[in-house]
Amino acid sequence: MTCHRVSRAVTALVGAACLVAAATGCAAPATPASPAASSASAAASTAAALTLTDGYVKAAGKSGDMAMSAIFGTLTNSSSSPITVVSGTCDAAMTVELHEVVMKDGSMKMQQREGGFVVPANGTLELGPGGLHIMLIGLTRDIKAGDPVTAELTLSDGQKVTVSAVGRDLPNANESYAPSPSGSPSHG
């Protein structure tokens, strides 16, 4: 009888010691993440922190190499650091540029935005007609109201973010994404 009691007592003590070790972290030491893995994880979280909400693209027809449209919406950054969008690609266009509209020589002109779009930490950046927008140059297909359009934005750290927009008729928008006499896109 005493052998069984000692055996049970030893088993109980060993079990309790294992529970204490696990609860206090005295189990096998964790392997630290490699700097490359930590960096990749941080970069992936940067890309995941940027979203486009209420994304839409001006409905437009494909009519030659200079057929154009633009993506609008709200870029939202949920991270604690600013995120800079430096370029992009799109399934509906040969070329994507980040544009702004500025007053130049007494009229509003569209131009590429130097340095890209900076979305503030825990903030938003509005993209809209007559302001900042993702310019689609050389449409590869018609974009009709309701058509899905996907763009891939490249961030300053090299990460890529996929965003979606939907074709929309904009009857009150006076922007004309037709080339100017110099061949550059301009607002009409």
Side-chain angles (χ1 to χ4, degrees):
M1 285 296 219
T2 36
C3 245
H4 286 306
R5 284 188 184 157
V6 170
S7 177
R8 285 185 193 161
V10 169
T11 303
L13 283 173
V14 169
C18 287
L19 287 174
V20 169
T24 61
C26 293
T31 306
S34 70
S38 296
S39 176
S41 175
S45 65
T46 298
L50 185 70
T51 58
L52 176 70
T53 54
D54 300 323
Y56 64 98
V57 59
K58 183 178 180 179
K62 176 187 171 219
S63 58
D65 289 345
M66 291 307 286
M68 297 179 204
S69 189
I71 295 175
F72 309 108
T74 304
L75 287 172
T76 302
N77 175 1
S78 62
S79 77
S80 59
S81 299
I83 295 176
T84 303
V85 179
V86 295
S87 64
T89 60
C90 180
D91 66 343
M94 291 185 278
T95 304
V96 172
E97 295 180 354
L98 307 177
H99 279 198
E100 64 185 347
V101 177
V102 298
M103 179 64 77
K104 194 178 218 178
D105 300 325
S107 64
M108 298 303 286
K109 303 283 182 184
M110 181 175 47
Q111 65 184 23
Q112 262 188 289
R113 183 167 174 103
E114 293 295 321
F117 296 156
V118 178
V119 186
N122 296 306
T124 61
L125 183 69
E126 293 296 322
L127 307 178
L132 300 176
H133 55 276
I134 300 168
M135 190 73 198
L136 306 180
I137 303 170
L139 295 180
T140 57
R141 61 181 170 91
D142 290 345
I143 300 172
K144 297 177 183 156
D147 286 352
V149 175
T150 301
E152 186 175 69
L153 305 178
T154 302
L155 310 181
S156 60
D157 65 3
Q159 292 296 304
K160 297 187 186 294
V161 176
T162 301
V163 297
S164 297
V166 177
R168 184 186 293 178
D169 287 323
L170 301 177
N172 296 330
N174 295 324
E175 285 81 12
S176 171
Y177 299 114
S180 68
S182 69
S184 310
S186 66
H187 285 272

